Amino acid sequence: MSRIEEHPVLTFRKGRKVTFRFNGQEIKGYEGESVAAALHAAGVRKLHESEVKHRPRGLFCAIGNCSSCLMRVDGRDNVRICVEPLREGMTVEEQNRKAVMDPERFPRAGELRKQEEAVTDVLVIGGGPAGMNAALEAAAHGLKVIILERNARMGGQLSKQTHKFFGSEKAKAGTRGFVIAEELMAEIEKNPQIRVWHDTTALGYFRDGTVMAERDGQIVSVKAGANIVATGAFEKNLVFPGNDLPGIYGAGAVQTLMNMEGVVPGKTVVMVGAGNIGLIVSYQLLQAGVRVAAVVEAAPRFGGYEVHANKLRRANVPILTSHTIKYAYGGDRLEGVVLTALDSSFRPVPGTEKGLKCDVVCMAVGLSPLSEFFFQAGCEMKFIPELGGYVPKLDEDRRTSVKGLYAAGDASGIEEATSAQLTGRIAALAASADLTEVPDLESRMKDYKEQLLQLRSGPLGGKILSGDRKLREKGGVDYEK
Ligand SMILES: Cc1cc2nc3c(=O)[nH]c(=O)nc-3n(C[C@H](O)[C@H](O)[C@H](O)COP(=O)(O)OP(=O)(O)OC[C@H]3O[C@@H](n4cnc5c(N)ncnc54)[C@H](O)[C@@H]3O)c2cc1C
Ligand code: FES
């Protein structure tokens, strides 16, 4: 059974039962869940074929970031079914050819219809923990705020975290991640200063500060005094033969299926990466009743906290350090992997190959900032490996080199959810101070920065601090418009 009936932490609220058609066959699912979750629960893994080599493709990110799940829905090509809600009577088909654009839905340039225009003080792009905190901070200073969120719900990656957070009381230590997300959403809902535009994807930034976005195939635009980008991150994959087989998922996709949709990703999982995300998601898989065959880690030591590794050891899950995947095999779906040991230079050691049967490989090998928006706006950008890749150059209050554009959360450097909240606060405080009088500016800023520093004084904070220093160093800009 792919649906989770009982869970030690979560209860899944489902919509009414509906019927839809997949490749002509009738399937049942629940209204409002993603089409991907409904297909997954029905055992469908292959969603389409690649255009040129016709290789099978399945889910990868499950948050609308990649193009791994494109299907034809109700006669419309290129629908990302991981973020498409299921409706009664829907028709879903594999799209094993080049997409055909619907001229009704995608008019030519010059024919674009504007659905809505708005003017506001602060625009926040992305409703994850960074964006939600940024909105609340700006609203606290009397400013009008709009949040653009491409999904039907805010919360970002935080909504999938079922474990209790560490840290200080102020940072809501001891509270589960998804509860923190719900509390923030409730606070935003009752704040009359904040408007949330769901299902709205920010597409482009114009020099005068106008942001264009797409909602339901139509263009909407917002002109704001300050724009805060908090778009989060995307997950990395590794290069090995068969890495595109249906059944190879990013850790975030596994969390989306399992912790939000109540659908298990498969029966047996090989986890790749033993940082905190890999260790935590492995434990969450065990909680959902899924077997974790092994956690594979290329480095000679696992990178996550001991407390998370101990939970896996107690459940007899082997953590294979100095190992990686040599290749994955299967037909229309993953059937197994062959692992290899690595020497101290990360080279495969011949003769150490061993096979593991599995129907899921979960990739927890790091995230890269979703920083395209900064490039597009013409920000000075730097490549900082410690922060996950290209990030905008920032001043100490999170202003980018483009006036009126600020950065917060993973989009400006990969860290974790509590620091995303704090960087959201700092960026919005700076933006507010640039737009209006903020009487307690200094003490507020000092408080947020001290909390951030305290957070970064933990075992994994050194890397971030070093990345942050490099970001602020003079010169070294890799991209400048
Ligand atoms: C698998 C996984 C497990 C994790 N586990 C933990 C953990 O256990 N503990 C922890 O502290 N942290 C964890 N993290 C990290 C933490 O969740 C992130 O650091 C944090 O959520 C970052 O917050 P954010 O607001 O910057 O981005 P996100 O949470 O990613 O939110 C970004 C939001 O922006 C929206 N968006 C993106 N692009 C657009 C656009 N163009 N237009 C409109 N909206 C857009 C997205 O839909 C999303 O809602 C994990 C991350 C992952 C991927
Ligand atoms: S866009 Fe749907 S899986 Fe990535």
Side-chain angles (χ1 to χ4, degrees):
M1 186 62 196
S2 320
R3 296 218 183 250
I4 302 170
E5 301 297 337
E6 270 183 51
H7 193 283
V9 177
L10 298 167
T11 40
F12 300 104
R13 284 186 293 273
K14 290 282 171 200
R16 70 182 172 116
K17 252 200 172 151
V18 294
T19 306
F20 68 106
R21 295 186 88 77
F22 165 66
N23 284 350
Q25 181 199 343
E26 246 182 35
I27 297 186
K28 298 235 180 281
Y30 293 97
E31 191 171 54
E33 67 181 350
S34 71
V35 174
L39 287 177
H40 215 283
V44 177
R45 297 290 181 275
K46 181 189 159 202
L47 305 177
H48 73 173
E49 287 174 8
S50 63
E51 261 175 42
V52 179
K53 296 201 169 172
H54 293 279
R55 292 181 60 80
R57 290 275 188 270
L59 216 58
F60 182 72
C61 73
I63 50 169
N65 268 351
C66 68
S67 54
S68 208
C69 68
L70 298 180
M71 297 190 87
R72 187 170 171 80
V73 174
D74 290 337
R76 196 156 45 93
D77 277 354
N78 273 3
V79 176
R80 287 180 164 87
I81 59 144
C82 65
V83 289
E84 183 72 13
L86 187 69
R87 297 178 294 274
E88 173 71 48
M90 232 176 184
T91 309
V92 181
E93 296 159 274
E94 274 185 36
Q95 181 192 305
N96 301 332
R97 50 164 175 72
K98 257 199 161 71
V100 181
M101 287 300 161
D102 174 359
E104 273 299 300
R105 197 172 142 74
F106 294 99
R108 281 195 299 272
E111 295 174 0
L112 290 172
R113 286 153 300 175
K114 241 188 211 175
Q115 191 192 53
E116 195 170 345
E117 278 177 299
V119 176
T120 188
D121 297 320
V122 177
L123 176 70
V124 178
I125 304 172
M132 289 194 288
N133 274 278
L136 286 166
E137 182 68 38
H141 305 297
L143 297 171
K144 294 227 171 298
V145 183
I146 292 179
I147 302 178
L148 301 185
E149 169 53 54
R150 72 175 167 199
N151 288 339
R153 254 172 74 90
M154 291 189 295
Q157 298 288 343
L158 186 58
S159 292
K160 307 171 191 175
Q161 313 308 332
T162 56
H163 62 284
K164 292 180 180 162
F165 273 51
F166 302 142
S168 66
E169 213 174 293
K170 265 188 185 169
K172 299 200 186 259
T175 310
R176 296 186 195 278
F178 71 92
V179 177
I180 302 176
E182 278 164 14
E183 287 174 2
L184 288 167
M185 280 184 256
E187 234 182 292
I188 285 174
E189 204 173 310
K190 55 178 196 258
N191 192 318
Q193 299 288 110
I194 307 175
R195 273 197 289 164
V196 185
W197 288 6
H198 292 106
D199 296 306
T200 309
T201 304
L203 299 176
Y205 178 87
F206 288 83
R207 281 214 185 130
D208 69 347
T210 303
V211 169
M212 297 298 258
E214 184 262 357
R215 188 204 296 144
D216 199 21
Q218 299 198 330
I219 294 294
V220 295
S221 73
V222 184
K223 173 98 167 68
N227 290 295
I228 302 173
V229 179
T231 44
F234 65 93
E235 280 178 288
K236 295 177 183 166
N237 198 349
L238 290 181
V239 181
F240 55 84
N243 73 348
D244 57 346
L245 276 168
I248 300 191
Y249 305 134
V254 166
Q255 284 196 320
T256 305
L257 280 175
M258 171 173 82
N259 296 347
M260 300 188 76
E261 305 278 13
V263 173
V264 293
K267 289 194 175 89
T268 306
V269 176
V270 169
M271 177 65 65
V272 183
N276 271 330
I277 293 183
L279 298 177
I280 290 170
V281 177
S282 296
Y283 186 66
Q284 292 174 353
L285 281 159
L286 297 176
Q287 287 182 310
V290 179
R291 182 173 164 254
V292 181
V295 179
V296 179
E297 167 60 57
R301 240 199 76 72
F302 60 85
Y305 294 139
E306 195 70 32
V307 58
H308 298 311
N310 282 339
K311 286 184 184 171
L312 297 183
R313 289 195 189 107
R314 284 197 291 275
N316 295 322
V317 175
I319 302 178
L320 305 175
T321 50
S322 294
H323 273 77
T324 193
I325 293 187
K326 189 168 180 189
Y327 63 89
Y329 60 89
D332 269 357
R333 59 165 69 186
L334 176 73
E335 288 166 26
V337 291
V338 170
L339 305 180
T340 177
L342 296 172
D343 66 18
S344 55
S345 308
F346 294 91
R347 280 186 303 247
V349 181
T352 59
E353 294 83 1
K354 55 178 167 244
L356 267 187
K357 286 214 172 297
C358 59
D359 57 350
V360 175
V361 165
C362 180
M363 290 291 174
V365 292
L367 302 164
S368 293
L370 263 181
S371 51
E372 290 91 340
F373 216 84
F374 301 112
F375 275 109
Q376 206 254 330
C379 296
E380 290 177 9
M381 304 291 287
K382 261 187 154 182
F383 187 83
I384 313 274
E386 292 91 334
L387 300 181
Y390 277 102
V391 286
K393 218 167 155 16
L394 300 176
D395 76 1
E396 59 178 28
D397 298 338
R398 311 198 71 80
R399 294 177 186 90
T400 69
S401 59
V402 169
K403 195 169 181 303
L405 192 65
Y406 307 74
D410 279 357
S412 51
I414 306 302
E415 219 170 326
E416 45 79 70
T418 308
S419 44
Q421 298 195 64
L422 287 165
T423 56
R425 291 277 169 181
I426 293 169
L429 189 51
S432 306
D434 291 345
L435 292 176
T436 187
E437 189 76 20
V438 177
D440 50 354
L441 174 65
E442 267 177 39
S443 61
R444 264 181 117 94
M445 194 62 103
K446 186 163 171 268
D447 178 33
Y448 294 144
K449 286 187 180 171
E450 276 175 3
Q451 286 187 58
L452 194 59
L453 200 60
Q454 197 186 2
L455 200 68
R456 290 172 173 174
S457 65
L460 304 180
K463 192 172 123 188
I464 305 296
L465 287 173
S466 142
D468 217 43
R469 264 193 305 274
K470 283 189 191 169
L471 187 61
R472 268 179 250 300
E473 275 165 13
K474 276 213 157 74
V477 168
D478 297 310
Y479 174 88
E480 191 179 1
K481 211 169 193 175

